[in-house]
Amino acid sequence: MKIIAGNWKMNGTPEENIARLRGIKEAVKPTQNKIIVFPPFLSVPDAVSVLADSDIAIGAQNCYPRPDGAFTGEVSVTMLKGVGCAYCLVGHSERRQYFAESDDFLREKVIAVAEAGMIPVFCVGESEEQRENGSYRRVLAGQIKNVLSGLKLEKEEIYIAYEPVWAIGTGKTATPEDADETMGMIREILRDIGQPDDLYLLYGGSAKPANAEALLSRKNIDGLLIGGASLKPDDFAAMAAVQL
Ligand code: 13P
């Protein structure tokens, strides 16, 4: 079983996304893999209705880590759970970069998502400069330790997505060897902080039909978090169909 997840980011009007959801429902064939789509908030209710009689699960791209209250403009974990989300992304590099989300805030989100009964998909990743100067190991260890230390994590209750920032939307994919090696290191970091080292680890960053199988064949890669290619139903379905 592999996890194939599509992060649509801020794309598609509600109408366009209904067409996209129908396309995905039609194109994705029954599989052992776990398939998840993360549409923009406004398309989440449509995703719930269009995908109602399918095995495709739905997640949100973000949340506010309180059940309710005076937080104008935010969407709570309770609302997401109520509408039918089973997953929520936390700590995507675009949120760290453009919205200055701190490790402390991400830790609150991971806890809130889990307490609401959803699975957080916690994203980590280094910049190009950090990859090149070799500090990426320390950067990843910091991102993981600051957010996950001391939490009681179980294998089925959290996923971690390794998304090197330099590979996101750039067409530059980490080689399967490099991704696997770095994700093996993530398992060591988890061990160091007393967390299970067999959590599901997803790779993200220019994943596409042409490289999906090579990435998914690697020992430490349990799934893919796909951006651009997940917007195209046929590409997403081709990746969902990889059997290993
Ligand atoms: P791309 O697949 O477009 O590089 O995006 C990856 C990503 O950020 C998924 O969350």
Side-chain angles (χ1 to χ4, degrees):
M1 190 280 287
K2 297 285 180 180
I3 297 156
I4 307 295
N7 172 11
W8 296 8
K9 309 194 180 183
M10 195 179 72
N11 287 295
T13 62
E15 206 176 350
E16 286 163 351
N17 284 341
I18 288 174
R20 181 169 282 134
L21 287 159
R22 289 191 178 131
I24 284 175
K25 186 179 177 185
E26 170 92 18
V28 172
K29 300 301 170 211
T31 166
Q32 305 272 324
N33 296 334
K34 187 174 292 204
I35 314 298
I36 313 166
V37 291
F38 292 84
F41 282 140
L42 288 180
S43 296
V44 165
D46 290 327
V48 172
S49 52
V50 173
L51 301 176
D53 52 349
S54 79
D55 291 327
I56 303 174
I58 296 144
Q61 297 175 17
N62 187 30
C63 66
Y64 195 75
R66 299 278 184 284
D68 50 45
F71 302 102
T72 302
E74 293 298 317
V75 175
S76 77
V77 287
T78 323
M79 293 170 191
L80 295 172
K81 173 74 176 166
V83 79
C85 286
Y87 300 84
C88 186
L89 300 182
V90 176
H92 192 283
S93 62
E94 287 148 17
R95 297 217 57 89
R96 294 177 190 262
Q97 185 182 347
Y98 304 132
F99 304 97
E101 295 196 355
S102 67
D103 287 345
D104 286 349
F105 190 45
L106 299 180
R107 182 177 173 92
E108 281 185 52
K109 289 194 189 195
V110 165
I111 294 170
V113 170
E115 283 181 350
M118 296 181 285
I119 297 182
V121 180
F122 174 55
C123 307
V124 298
E126 79 283 0
S127 68
E128 183 150 41
E129 191 188 344
Q130 291 160 343
R131 166 63 52 171
E132 278 169 6
N133 69 21
S135 65
Y136 66 99
R137 291 165 188 272
R138 190 169 41 76
V139 169
L140 292 171
Q143 290 175 344
I144 293 169
K145 287 180 184 168
N146 292 343
V147 175
L148 302 183
S149 289
L151 304 184
K152 219 177 153 303
L153 303 179
E154 304 278 348
K155 183 170 166 74
E156 303 292 336
E157 293 174 0
I158 184 167
Y159 301 164
I160 297 184
Y162 167 60
E163 299 204 306
V165 178
W166 48 271
I168 296 178
T170 57
K172 264 200 241 175
T173 319
T175 63
E177 295 74 18
D178 283 352
D180 188 52
E181 196 253 346
T182 309
M183 291 163 81
M185 206 184 74
I186 289 175
R187 296 197 190 281
E188 280 170 30
I189 296 167
L190 288 167
R191 267 198 298 280
D192 282 352
I193 58 169
Q195 297 294 3
D197 63 3
D198 62 347
L199 297 181
Y200 291 110
L201 302 188
L202 279 55
Y203 167 82
S206 301
K208 47 186 179 273
N211 57 27
E213 186 159 350
L215 287 161
L216 289 167
S217 308
R218 293 284 158 166
K219 178 165 128 284
N220 291 305
I221 306 184
D222 302 307
L224 299 174
L225 183 55
I226 308 153
S230 75
L231 296 171
K232 299 179 201 133
D234 289 345
D235 283 2
F236 187 62
M239 299 165 90
V242 172
Q243 281 307 324
L244 288 163

